[in-house]
Amino acid sequence: MSRPDVIVVGAGVIGLSAAIAAQSRGLSVTVLDREGPAAGASAGNAGAFAFTDILPLASPGLLKKAPKWLLDPLGPLSIPPRYALQIAPWMFRFWRACAPARVDGAIAAQTALMDLSRQALEPFLSETGTLSMLRKDGSLEVYESEAEFTASLPGWHARERHGITFRHMHAAEMAEIQPGLSPRFIRGTFMPGWLSIADPKLYVLALADRFTAEGGRIEVAEVRTLKPAADGVDLTLAGGHNRHVGQVVLAAGAFSHRIARSLGEIIPLETERGYNTTLPGDAFDLRTAVVFGGHGFVVTPLSTGVRVGGAVELGGLDLPPNFARSEAMLRKAKTFLPSLKAEGGRQWMGFRPSLPDSLPAIGRARSTDRVIYAFGHGHVGLTQSAGTAQIVADLLCKARPAIDIAPFSPQRFR
Ligand SMILES: Cc1cc2nc3c(=O)[nH]c(=O)nc-3n(C[C@H](O)[C@H](O)[C@H](O)COP(=O)(O)OP(=O)(O)OC[C@H]3O[C@@H](n4cnc5c(N)ncnc54)[C@H](O)[C@@H]3O)c2cc1C
């Protein structure tokens, strides 16, 4: 077996998209994943290409809502007491990232990556034979009071300045787009340009098939350490096997910082754990994604069912899941969509890989230019996968990326 040019660590949506982009530039690529393709967050997410989500989570708006949310242990945002001390340094950086000047910088960077990803998406889906999985059903965000709607307006103005189109509406018009909403929702905002994928897990599996059909290899192997070597990088795998390769892409999602540590780099990556329940397809006649922003969850139509999920639990990588969260969201969904059949669902928890300023880390390792980091995409990894893949392929080929990647520098927290 000949040695590949590149090893990608992680077969989630980021790793596989990057692997395919590198392959299409003529590089030979092997992907290593400790469980195989679509094992992590990429399998169970809400399937949205949320190109309009340019506002970082770290923002003054969130700081206002957080105290109320934190009071409810099953609410949209929670910190398990056992993890409160460990998450404190990350929270401090998050709080600093909420300063208005930093938020403006994050919006500009996020917009550039979103634009690149939007432009790259359809060509990437065509190239990988997955275009038929793309849906254009829009998204409807709903509000329970005029006060809640008014509080959302600065965010919409910011999106408007970046060319994002939407329509504010009252209940009657909302009912035409999505019948069956509880009358407690009196205002809404519809984004017709919102795209989604038929099912995120099937999408990643289709990318894996495409990659191997074009000659790529996917191996089940856990990477423990990376070490710069004279003409490349040495990888230590669980079980004691070593590999040597010219370049590495580290795309192990929420676990990436553990591997980066072997290169002497401390990256403040944490996880925002998210929960959902996927109900059978006939659970509700869902015509668009419905976002209950005030409650931190979304109900999404997928080809494999109706997914009710969201929430942020800052609970680290090792605590067991608390599926009472999925149940709490499902109970609310049943109230908000009264004819929803809430039985027969599958529960899931996933690790969003999150940096304190809500931007990903895309760039070279400090100790060697032969390791490229691509992780930390938080709530929008699926959305930003095609753009990230292009940047990674540029870096592997020593080409200049299409956008300025300085704001995504993995070393920006030093
Ligand atoms: C509830 C929820 C809803 C979401 N909804 C959306 C959405 O609608 N739109 C959107 O854009 N994003 C959404 N996201 C975020 C999105 O899912 C993530 O940003 C994205 O999946 C991250 O992809 P990734 O490839 O970096 O990580 P992952 O998909 O987690 O992949 C990382 C891979 O690395 C492997 N790995 C880890 N450690 C090692 C190791 N040591 N050696 C080898 N392999 C290793 C894992 O097995 C895994 O397969 C959501 C997330 C959650 C939790």
Side-chain angles (χ1 to χ4, degrees):
M1 187 178 64
S2 64
R3 209 174 84 177
D5 302 315
V6 178
I7 285 181
V8 175
V9 184
V13 72
I14 298 293
L16 279 167
S17 303
I20 290 169
Q23 190 180 46
S24 67
R25 308 266 180 113
L27 296 168
S28 71
V29 184
T30 292
V31 176
L32 304 182
D33 194 292
R34 63 182 176 194
E35 289 182 61
S42 304
N45 63 50
F49 290 106
F51 296 117
T52 53
D53 277 8
I54 54 170
L55 307 181
L57 196 71
S59 65
L62 187 98
L63 286 186
K64 268 192 220 147
K65 287 186 204 159
K68 183 178 145 223
W69 280 355
L70 282 167
L71 284 178
D72 175 1
L74 295 181
L77 174 66
S78 71
I79 304 177
R82 275 181 294 170
Y83 202 67
L85 214 58
Q86 275 117 303
I87 195 79
W90 188 92
M91 293 295 289
F92 178 67
R93 288 192 157 107
F94 181 90
W95 171 75
R96 283 179 36 148
C98 292
R102 292 185 188 217
V103 172
D104 288 349
I107 292 178
Q110 200 70 309
T111 304
L113 184 54
M114 288 295 190
D115 286 349
L116 179 69
S117 299
R118 190 192 343 235
Q119 285 156 20
L121 179 65
E122 292 201 27
F124 185 76
L125 297 182
S126 299
E127 180 196 328
T128 53
T130 53
L131 193 56
S132 61
M133 298 177 95
L134 186 65
R135 292 180 162 193
K136 301 185 178 180
D137 299 331
S139 143
L140 178 65
E141 177 137 13
V142 294
Y143 308 100
E144 286 167 275
S145 65
E146 283 297 334
E148 189 189 356
F149 171 67
T150 307
S152 78
L153 291 177
W156 292 111
H157 291 147
R159 293 184 182 104
E160 196 164 34
R161 282 196 296 278
H162 290 281
I164 291 164
T165 52
F166 52 83
R167 218 164 61 239
H168 296 311
M169 52 186 63
H170 289 92
E173 203 182 342
M174 284 152 60
E176 281 169 27
I177 290 169
Q178 179 57 65
L181 280 168
S182 157
R184 66 195 282 160
F185 297 103
I186 57 166
R187 297 297 302 256
T189 306
F190 184 61
M191 284 188 284
W194 186 270
L195 306 177
S196 62
I197 202 79
D199 180 88
K201 180 169 185 176
L202 297 183
Y203 173 58
V204 177
L205 293 177
L207 294 184
D209 284 347
R210 179 67 183 198
F211 172 67
T212 49
E214 294 294 316
R217 282 178 62 84
I218 301 179
E219 296 173 29
V220 175
E222 179 171 346
V223 176
R224 289 269 166 84
T225 66
L226 303 176
K227 192 166 159 227
D231 57 346
V233 184
D234 290 330
L235 295 89
T236 315
L237 309 185
H241 302 293
N242 290 345
R243 297 285 289 269
H244 180 82
V245 71
Q247 297 192 83
V248 169
V249 177
L250 179 54
F255 297 83
S256 302
H257 61 312
R258 291 184 170 173
I259 302 172
R261 206 176 292 151
S262 66
L263 290 167
E265 259 185 287
I266 307 288
I267 299 191
L269 185 72
E270 272 292 345
T271 180
E272 294 176 59
R273 295 151 54 123
Y275 289 84
N276 63 39
T277 306
T278 307
L279 299 167
D282 65 357
F284 189 75
D285 177 17
L286 195 61
R287 306 192 181 169
T288 180
V290 182
V291 182
F292 300 101
H295 299 269
F297 74 96
V298 53
V299 183
T300 319
L302 299 175
S303 63
T304 48
V306 170
R307 186 159 285 168
V308 179
V312 165
E313 182 186 60
L314 295 168
L317 295 168
D318 300 319
L319 293 182
N322 175 5
F323 285 116
R325 294 196 167 286
S326 312
E327 285 148 26
M329 281 185 278
L330 198 54
R331 275 196 301 276
K332 280 189 179 173
K334 173 80 189 142
T335 315
F336 299 165
L337 305 170
S339 61
L340 179 80
K341 291 184 226 140
E343 299 79 35
R346 243 178 318 115
Q347 293 176 328
W348 177 84
M349 187 269 278
F351 297 108
R352 297 183 190 93
S354 299
L355 287 156
D357 59 0
S358 315
L359 298 177
I362 311 173
R364 297 185 194 281
R366 181 159 50 101
S367 56
T368 169
D369 62 1
R370 290 173 178 270
V371 175
I372 291 158
Y373 295 153
F375 56 80
H377 293 76
H379 292 238
V380 287
L382 169 68
T383 308
Q384 298 182 330
S385 53
T388 300
Q390 272 196 10
I391 296 172
V392 170
D394 287 334
L395 294 174
L396 288 169
C397 298
K398 313 276 183 289
R400 194 190 166 98
I403 61 170
D404 175 18
I405 61 166
F408 309 111
S409 165
Q411 290 80 35
R412 66 186 182 275
F413 299 102
R414 286 182 71 208

